[in-house]
Amino acid sequence: MMPWILSGLGLVILLLAGDSLVKGAVNLSLRLGVPALIVSLTIVAFGTSAPELLIAVEAILDDAPGLAMGNVVGSNTANILLVLGIPALLATMHTSECDTKKTFNYMIAASILFIALAFRGTFDWVAAIVLLAALACVLFDQAMEAKGHRDADAAAPDVDEEIEGVDPDLPGWRIAVFLILGLIGLPLGASLLVDNATIIAKMYGVSDTVIGLTLVAIGTSLPELATTVMAALRRQADVALGNVIGSNMFNLLAIIGIASLVGPIPVDEEFLRFDLWVMLAASILLVPFVYMRRDITRIWGVVLTALYVAYLVVVLS
């Protein structure tokens, strides 16, 4: 019974930490005078990608580099199909109000760069430098954009008073507490859930390979899911969409970049034939919401979730 109890505890921690991180990130954006989207692309995205980073480095040290690769690719696919699909089933995500073209272009460019490097056969220190340099360029551009927003609007930005959790007068120490609790709670909850879910899977005779490609990838996407569900329910679609885009960029550029410095990561042929292209196709599915300013309705939620279920069926078959 204990693995089941600890898995449930991990899920509760994830949900509470996701709510805390969204509150902190949105209120921090108000305090800094920058859009919530930019904050979600940095603090929220980095925080929710912490489990992938921890697992990737641990996998390299444990001489299981394939797990690191599978976790990142699988998590990116889950981030789009599952993490945006499930919240849309609960409430329409008003992504038509978000301007994410620039950051979406960065994500697509990062995906193409990642796939190109994968065809070298191994992610080594050379690939690591290329990936981390690309990440540095993206972060520098975001920092310059944030500075531009602060310079253009020294006064407090407009705030929708009806948005739950937004308080322009929230003390700085409370914002810090929300962020710290979120950043600590997300990886802790994910670790509890993944570790104990893995124990449960082994109890039922599921192989380590299947666990790595499915359970671990889904488990490490749960922080993004928790954060996105809370953001969708709070009608903060900019945080939800920005979190997914930012997390995917961080997964590709930072996690594999850092893990490749710890040790080489060989690329399995199956990734080159199937999984990498599924990841890219899932990313391209965001085009209607980014370029055509469409909302992610419940119908789209059904479509995205169904596509992810179909992907799991193919992987498990």
Side-chain angles (χ1 to χ4, degrees), residues 52-85:
E52 284 94 333
L53 178 58
L54 296 175
I55 287 177
V57 172
E58 183 179 344
I60 299 297
L61 295 176
D62 291 345
D63 196 27
L67 178 60
M69 182 74 174
N71 181 34
V72 165
V73 174
S75 291
N76 272 26
T77 302
N79 279 352
I80 294 174
L81 301 181
L82 194 66
V83 171
L84 289 179

Coordinates of all heavy atoms in Angstrom, one line a residue, residues 52-85:
E52 N 13.0 16.6 -15.1 CA 13.7 16.1 -16.3 C 15.2 16.2 -16.1 O 15.9 15.3 -16.5 CB 13.2 16.8 -17.6 CG 11.8 16.3 -18.1 CD 10.7 17.2 -17.5 OE1 10.9 17.8 -16.5 OE2 9.7 17.3 -18.2
L53 N 15.6 17.4 -15.6 CA 17.0 17.6 -15.5 C 17.6 16.6 -14.4 O 18.7 16.0 -14.7 CB 17.3 19.1 -15.0 CG 18.8 19.4 -14.8 CD1 19.6 19.2 -16.0 CD2 18.9 20.9 -14.3
L54 N 17.0 16.5 -13.3 CA 17.4 15.6 -12.3 C 17.5 14.1 -12.8 O 18.5 13.4 -12.6 CB 16.5 15.6 -11.0 CG 16.5 17.0 -10.3 CD1 15.5 16.9 -9.2 CD2 17.9 17.3 -9.8
I55 N 16.5 13.7 -13.5 CA 16.4 12.3 -14.0 C 17.5 12.1 -15.1 O 18.2 11.1 -15.2 CB 15.0 12.0 -14.6 CG1 14.1 11.8 -13.4 CG2 15.1 10.8 -15.4 CD1 12.7 11.5 -13.8
A56 N 17.7 13.1 -16.0 CA 18.7 13.0 -17.1 C 20.1 12.9 -16.5 O 20.8 12.0 -16.9 CB 18.6 14.2 -18.0
V57 N 20.5 13.7 -15.6 CA 21.8 13.6 -15.0 C 22.0 12.3 -14.2 O 23.0 11.6 -14.4 CB 22.1 14.8 -14.0 CG1 23.4 14.6 -13.3 CG2 22.1 16.1 -14.8
E58 N 21.0 11.9 -13.5 CA 21.0 10.6 -12.7 C 21.2 9.5 -13.7 O 21.9 8.5 -13.4 CB 19.8 10.5 -11.9 CG 19.8 9.2 -11.0 CD 18.5 9.1 -10.1 OE1 17.8 10.1 -10.0 OE2 18.3 8.0 -9.6
A59 N 20.4 9.5 -14.8 CA 20.5 8.4 -15.8 C 21.9 8.3 -16.4 O 22.4 7.2 -16.6 CB 19.5 8.7 -16.9
I60 N 22.6 9.4 -16.7 CA 23.9 9.4 -17.2 C 24.9 8.8 -16.2 O 25.7 7.9 -16.5 CB 24.4 10.8 -17.6 CG1 23.5 11.4 -18.7 CG2 25.9 10.8 -18.0 CD1 23.6 10.7 -20.0
L61 N 24.8 9.2 -14.9 CA 25.6 8.7 -13.8 C 25.4 7.2 -13.6 O 26.3 6.5 -13.2 CB 25.4 9.5 -12.6 CG 25.8 11.0 -12.6 CD1 25.4 11.7 -11.3 CD2 27.3 11.2 -12.9
D62 N 24.1 6.8 -13.8 CA 23.8 5.4 -13.6 C 24.0 4.5 -14.9 O 23.6 3.4 -14.9 CB 22.4 5.2 -13.2 CG 22.1 5.8 -11.8 OD1 23.1 6.0 -11.1 OD2 21.0 6.0 -11.4
D63 N 24.7 5.1 -15.9 CA 25.0 4.4 -17.1 C 23.8 3.9 -17.8 O 23.7 2.8 -18.4 CB 26.0 3.2 -16.9 CG 26.6 2.7 -18.1 OD1 26.8 3.5 -19.1 OD2 26.9 1.5 -18.2
A64 N 22.8 4.8 -17.8 CA 21.5 4.5 -18.6 C 21.2 5.8 -19.4 O 20.1 6.4 -19.2 CB 20.4 4.2 -17.6
P65 N 22.0 6.2 -20.4 CA 21.8 7.4 -21.1 C 20.6 7.4 -22.0 O 20.0 8.5 -22.3 CB 23.1 7.5 -22.0 CG 23.6 6.1 -22.1 CD 23.3 5.5 -20.8
G66 N 20.1 6.2 -22.4 CA 18.9 6.1 -23.2 C 17.7 6.7 -22.5 O 16.8 7.2 -23.1
L67 N 17.7 6.5 -21.2 CA 16.6 7.0 -20.4 C 16.5 8.5 -20.4 O 15.4 9.1 -20.5 CB 16.7 6.5 -18.9 CG 15.7 7.0 -17.9 CD1 14.3 6.5 -18.4 CD2 16.0 6.5 -16.5
A68 N 17.7 9.2 -20.4 CA 17.7 10.6 -20.5 C 17.1 11.1 -21.8 O 16.3 12.0 -21.8 CB 19.2 11.1 -20.3
M69 N 17.5 10.5 -22.9 CA 17.0 10.9 -24.2 C 15.5 10.6 -24.3 O 14.7 11.5 -24.7 CB 17.8 10.1 -25.3 CG 17.4 10.4 -26.7 SD 18.0 12.0 -27.2 CE 17.5 12.0 -28.9
G70 N 15.1 9.4 -23.9 CA 13.7 9.1 -24.0 C 12.8 10.0 -23.1 O 11.7 10.3 -23.5
N71 N 13.3 10.3 -22.0 CA 12.6 11.1 -21.0 C 12.3 12.5 -21.6 O 11.2 13.0 -21.6 CB 13.3 11.3 -19.7 CG 12.6 12.1 -18.7 OD1 11.4 12.1 -18.6 ND2 13.3 12.8 -17.9
V72 N 13.3 13.1 -22.2 CA 13.2 14.5 -22.8 C 12.3 14.5 -24.0 O 11.3 15.3 -24.1 CB 14.6 15.1 -23.2 CG1 14.4 16.3 -24.0 CG2 15.3 15.4 -21.9
V73 N 12.5 13.6 -24.9 CA 11.7 13.5 -26.2 C 10.2 13.2 -25.8 O 9.3 13.8 -26.3 CB 12.2 12.5 -27.2 CG1 11.3 12.3 -28.4 CG2 13.6 12.9 -27.6
G74 N 10.1 12.2 -24.9 CA 8.7 11.8 -24.5 C 8.0 12.9 -23.8 O 6.8 13.1 -23.9
S75 N 8.8 13.6 -22.9 CA 8.2 14.7 -22.1 C 7.7 15.8 -23.0 O 6.7 16.5 -22.8 CB 9.2 15.2 -21.1 OG 9.4 14.2 -20.1
N76 N 8.5 16.2 -24.1 CA 8.1 17.2 -25.0 C 6.8 16.9 -25.7 O 6.0 17.8 -25.9 CB 9.3 17.5 -25.9 CG 10.3 18.5 -25.4 OD1 10.4 18.7 -24.2 ND2 10.9 19.3 -26.3
T77 N 6.7 15.7 -26.1 CA 5.5 15.3 -26.8 C 4.3 15.3 -25.9 O 3.2 15.8 -26.2 CB 5.6 13.8 -27.4 OG1 6.8 13.8 -28.3 CG2 4.4 13.4 -28.1
A78 N 4.5 14.8 -24.6 CA 3.5 14.9 -23.6 C 3.1 16.3 -23.2 O 1.9 16.6 -23.0 CB 3.9 14.1 -22.4
N79 N 4.1 17.2 -23.2 CA 3.8 18.6 -22.8 C 2.8 19.2 -23.7 O 2.0 20.0 -23.3 CB 5.1 19.4 -22.9 CG 6.0 19.2 -21.6 OD1 5.5 18.6 -20.7 ND2 7.2 19.8 -21.7
I80 N 2.8 18.9 -25.0 CA 1.9 19.6 -26.0 C 0.6 18.8 -26.0 O -0.5 19.4 -25.9 CB 2.6 19.7 -27.4 CG1 3.8 20.6 -27.3 CG2 1.5 20.1 -28.4 CD1 4.6 20.7 -28.6
L81 N 0.7 17.5 -26.3 CA -0.6 16.8 -26.5 C -1.4 16.5 -25.2 O -2.6 16.7 -25.1 CB -0.3 15.4 -27.1 CG 0.4 15.5 -28.5 CD1 0.7 14.0 -29.0 CD2 -0.4 16.3 -29.5
L82 N -0.7 16.2 -24.1 CA -1.3 15.9 -22.8 C -1.5 17.1 -21.9 O -2.6 17.4 -21.4 CB -0.5 14.8 -22.1 CG -1.2 14.1 -20.9 CD1 -2.3 13.3 -21.4 CD2 -0.2 13.3 -20.2
V83 N -0.4 17.9 -21.8 CA -0.4 19.1 -20.9 C -1.3 20.2 -21.4 O -1.9 20.9 -20.5 CB 1.0 19.6 -20.6 CG1 1.1 20.9 -19.9 CG2 1.9 18.5 -19.9
L84 N -1.5 20.3 -22.7 CA -2.4 21.3 -23.2 C -3.8 20.7 -23.4 O -4.8 21.4 -23.4 CB -1.9 21.9 -24.5 CG -0.7 22.9 -24.3 CD1 -0.3 23.4 -25.7 CD2 -1.0 24.1 -23.4
G85 N -3.8 19.4 -23.7 CA -5.1 18.7 -23.9 C -6.0 18.5 -22.7 O -7.2 18.9 -22.8

